[in-house]
Amino acid sequence: MALLKVKFNQKKRVKLAQGLWLMNWFSVFAGILVFSMGLFLKIELRKRSEVMDNSESHFVPNSLILMGILSCAFNGFAGKICYDSLDPTKFAKWKPLLKPYLALCFFFNILLFFVALICFLMRGSLESTLAQGLKNGMKFYRDTDTPGRCFMKKTIDMLQIEFKCCGNSGFKDWFEIQWISNRYLDFSSKEVKDRIKSNVDGRYLVDGVPFSCCNPSSPRPCIQYQVTNNSAHYSYDYQTEELNLWRRGCREALLQYYSSMMSSMGAFVLLVWLFEMSVMVGLRLLHTSLESITNPEDPECESEGWVLENSLKDTFKSALENLKKLGKFNQVEAGAEGAEGEEGGKTQTVATVS
């Protein structure tokens, strides 16, 4: 029994073809939007590539760009087929291509569905990329005189100001690295010498943060040095008082920014996928309804269209049987080639003995 079997007359076939033509051009527009989203996400990721450890995060935008291009190509081609199906003479040239085209559409929709899922599932990979990238970027914050790293201070400062964040996971991350350049340290000072000697790696570590960590809306002047020293500031207790520094780490801020962006894109791609599936089903109905016309000379006659010629269970069984036959055929060919090789070897041996 055929799946989704529908009866058509000429009027219904024309309406279906016209509706599919319109839907395909809507899908082309949707493909352009998917392409644009991928391009926008790629640009946004490149803006902060200095604080990302690897290029794995670009897999999502690259996939969106590819799916957008394929969507435009597939739906533009399908729109042409639907337009030509109104004229039987024009449609005749597309008949041999329709089955392979529908098979390609099926695989395209599977890929589109997986791209939508990837948009939701890339959070873990993005988090590890940001964690390591921010850690490396903070280490190079002080290297304002080093070629290739001199931009890092500006990058980190602008990042912390724009996203209202501080450090990797919090402001205390700055306590663990030397973020002040040696160029601005007085090595004749006892305090500087003591701090460097007290550290195993010989780094100048302070309980302070860069100015970009300061919250400008705080009523109190920013306490960015001696943050954990209560006696250094009037009426101050860093453990109980709400600090006038950004409390959120930049990894969390960036992760939330990119995750919400990719989730919105994933939801849109899922909608596009549902629309593409409906277009593919409609195209299959149009194809089978035109194929099943009993009298091609009478275009007004009725015909039947279906999505699958047999039920889903029978179709699955026949597909498995075809795969098994294909496997057996390959084994028989391999056995025949082996037998031919053995016979050739025996013949050669006999010829040598004689």
Side-chain angles (χ1 to χ4, degrees):
M1 184 180 177
L3 183 67
L4 289 177
K5 197 172 185 179
V6 184
K7 284 190 176 182
F8 289 92
N9 55 28
Q10 187 190 20
K11 188 177 180 180
K12 284 184 178 180
R13 286 194 295 268
V14 169
K15 281 186 176 180
L16 178 61
Q18 289 174 339
L20 284 172
W21 178 83
L22 188 62
M23 288 175 72
N24 274 294
W25 287 109
F26 272 120
S27 294
V28 169
F29 179 68
I32 293 170
L33 287 179
V34 171
F35 174 84
S36 302
M37 288 190 307
L39 199 61
F40 174 75
L41 181 59
K42 194 171 184 68
I43 291 168
E44 285 296 304
L45 289 170
R46 281 195 176 278
K47 279 182 185 178
R48 295 167 186 96
S49 58
E50 296 90 355
V51 293
M52 292 187 178
D53 185 45
N54 53 48
S55 58
E56 286 180 10
S57 54
H58 287 272
F59 180 73
V60 173
N62 290 342
S63 300
L64 289 172
I65 289 169
L66 177 63
M67 287 296 107
I69 293 170
L70 289 176
S71 178
C72 292
F74 274 102
N75 289 292
F77 184 70
K80 175 65 176 171
I81 292 173
C82 293
Y83 182 79
D84 286 349
S85 66
L86 299 171
D87 185 350
T89 55
K90 288 183 179 180
F91 181 73
K93 66 181 179 180
W94 298 116
K95 279 186 179 181
L97 298 174
L98 271 173
K99 278 189 178 180
Y101 173 74
L102 285 167
L104 286 173
C105 282
F106 179 73
F107 287 111
F108 166 73
N109 282 309
I110 290 174
L111 285 175
L112 192 64
F113 180 73
F114 277 109
V115 168
L117 287 183
I118 287 166
C119 289
F120 295 105
L121 300 175
M122 280 296 287
R123 182 184 173 92
S125 175
L126 185 61
E127 185 174 8
S128 60
T129 296
L130 285 169
Q132 191 59 42
L134 282 165
K135 186 178 179 181
N136 294 334
M138 288 170 65
K139 284 180 182 177
F140 302 143
Y141 183 88
R142 64 173 180 165
D143 297 338
T144 52
D145 299 326
T146 307
R149 297 179 186 173
C150 54
F151 61 87
M152 191 55 73
K153 180 182 183 299
K154 181 183 177 182
T155 300
I156 297 291
D157 283 334
M158 293 304 295
L159 177 69
Q160 294 188 145
I161 292 169
E162 182 183 352
F163 286 90
K164 299 180 179 180
C165 59
C166 184
N168 192 336
S169 56
F171 69 91
K172 288 187 178 179
D173 294 333
W174 289 107
F175 300 174
E176 300 171 5
I177 62 170
Q178 181 182 338
W179 55 272
I180 300 173
S181 174
N182 289 337
R183 181 182 178 182
Y184 303 105
L185 295 177
D186 181 8
F187 287 94
S188 63
S189 169
K190 184 177 181 301
E191 182 189 349
V192 173
K193 287 179 181 179
D194 289 343
R195 282 192 178 273
I196 291 173
K197 285 179 182 178
S198 64
N199 186 268
V200 177
D201 298 326
R203 295 176 297 169
Y204 181 76
L205 304 181
V206 292
D207 56 342
V209 296
F211 78 96
S212 52
C213 283
C214 293
N215 181 357
S217 61
S218 174
R220 180 170 185 157
C222 184
I223 298 173
Q224 66 179 108
Y225 294 106
Q226 296 184 331
V227 176
T228 58
N229 188 358
N230 293 335
S231 60
H233 312 284
Y234 176 73
S235 184
Y236 176 72
D237 185 356
Y238 84 96
Q239 292 181 330
T240 58
E241 186 172 340
E242 185 70 23
L243 299 178
N244 48 11
L245 305 175
W246 300 120
R247 308 301 298 265
R248 186 171 61 161
C250 290
R251 177 180 58 188
E252 182 189 345
L254 283 172
L255 187 63
Q256 186 177 352
Y257 174 71
Y258 285 120
S259 294
S260 61
M261 190 187 296
M262 286 195 288
S263 296
S264 302
M265 291 178 179
F268 180 77
V269 174
L270 273 178
L271 289 174
V272 173
W273 172 74
L274 289 171
F275 195 74
E276 291 281 359
M277 287 294 290
S278 63
V279 171
M280 186 179 70
V281 169
L283 192 61
R284 174 64 176 166
L285 287 171
L286 180 65
H287 167 226
T288 50
S289 66
L290 290 169
E291 285 281 332
S292 61
I293 292 176
T294 53
N295 185 10
E297 295 179 359
D298 181 17
E300 295 185 4
C301 69
E302 289 190 347
S303 62
E304 290 182 341
W306 57 83
V307 175
L308 293 176
E309 194 170 358
N310 300 312
S311 65
L312 194 62
K313 187 178 178 181
D314 292 337
T315 304
F316 184 70
K317 281 183 179 178
S318 63
L320 283 178
E321 285 174 3
N322 289 333
L323 286 173
K324 286 178 182 177
K325 286 178 182 178
L326 185 64
K328 286 178 181 177
F329 180 72
N330 289 334
Q331 286 178 3
V332 169
E333 278 193 341
E337 286 176 3
E340 285 177 5
E342 286 178 6
E343 287 176 6
K346 286 177 182 177
T347 307
Q348 189 178 1
T349 305
V350 170
T352 304
V353 170
S354 63

